[in-house]
Amino acid sequence: MSFGFCFLDIETTGLNPDKDVILEVAVVITDSDLNELVAYNYPIQYELDNTEWWPVVVKEMHKESGLYEDLIVTRAGVPVGIAQLNIEDDLLYWKTLQEFERLHLAGNSIHFDASFLKVHMPRVHKLFHHRMLDCSSFKLLGGTVGRELVSENPHPHRALSDAYESLSLARICKEWITPHD
């Protein structure tokens, strides 16, 4: 049975999908062997002249990562509706091209990202299989046996860098569980 993974990361204005908005979405699609097929990033454009409602910690985090500058100062990005259509088209294209029977959502604390997809990009959310690969669980499990799972992330809190970090963690874990002679 052929399947793939979609390592996805979302940057937001907070933790509540019913109140907060998506600021950036990144996708890294792989086959079941974790070979990268395609990767892309969508900063999301909003009319965000007033960011006073953002929690201070979130605003500082996104200023430090450069996302605030990209979205608020230089106005980079695409409208959320366009991003949803593009992501949906891309996922369907790669799923068809690779003849995947299913596509699994993957990432660090991926339930968080899935909750935002469900509210803000429901058509994208519906494309994924119900089983998800939560890479942050690998860190938690490794810690229980004294094995620290570390992956470099040169640009934390930027969606594409975070998605690649998740893919790296999955590859490390796969190597751990692969039998070696």
Side-chain angles (χ1 to χ4, degrees), residues 83-135:
Q84 176 176 247
L85 290 173
N86 289 343
I87 293 168
E88 180 182 23
D89 285 348
D90 289 344
L91 293 176
L92 288 171
Y93 170 79
W94 284 97
K95 188 175 179 184
T96 302
L97 181 70
Q98 297 296 315
E99 299 180 353
F100 291 149
E101 292 180 33
R102 61 185 192 266
L103 196 57
H104 294 276
L105 192 56
N108 282 321
S109 300
I110 197 61
H111 65 282
F112 171 81
D113 304 87
S115 71
F116 272 83
L117 286 179
K118 190 172 186 177
V119 171
H120 297 276
M121 297 183 171
R123 290 170 44 180
V124 170
H125 182 264
K126 289 179 183 179
L127 293 174
F128 296 110
H129 191 269
H130 67 277
R131 290 190 181 127
M132 296 184 280
L133 181 65
D134 188 340
C135 300

Side-chain angles (χ1 to χ4, degrees), residues 22-85:
I22 296 172
L23 298 176
E24 187 176 44
V25 179
V27 168
V28 180
I29 299 174
T30 73
D31 61 18
S32 59
D33 290 323
L34 304 178
N35 297 307
E36 181 180 333
L37 302 172
V38 68
Y40 53 87
N41 185 58
Y42 285 104
I44 306 296
Q45 181 185 83
Y46 291 98
E47 295 299 323
L48 292 176
D49 291 328
N50 180 0
T51 59
E52 296 299 316
W53 59 278
W54 292 21
V56 172
V57 65
V58 170
K59 191 184 290 188
E60 291 305 313
M61 175 179 67
H62 292 316
K63 281 182 176 180
E64 187 174 319
S65 74
L67 183 57
Y68 185 90
E69 173 81 15
D70 287 351
L71 294 177
I72 306 305
V73 179
T74 65
R75 303 271 185 203
V78 297
V80 68
I82 300 297
Q84 176 176 247
L85 290 173

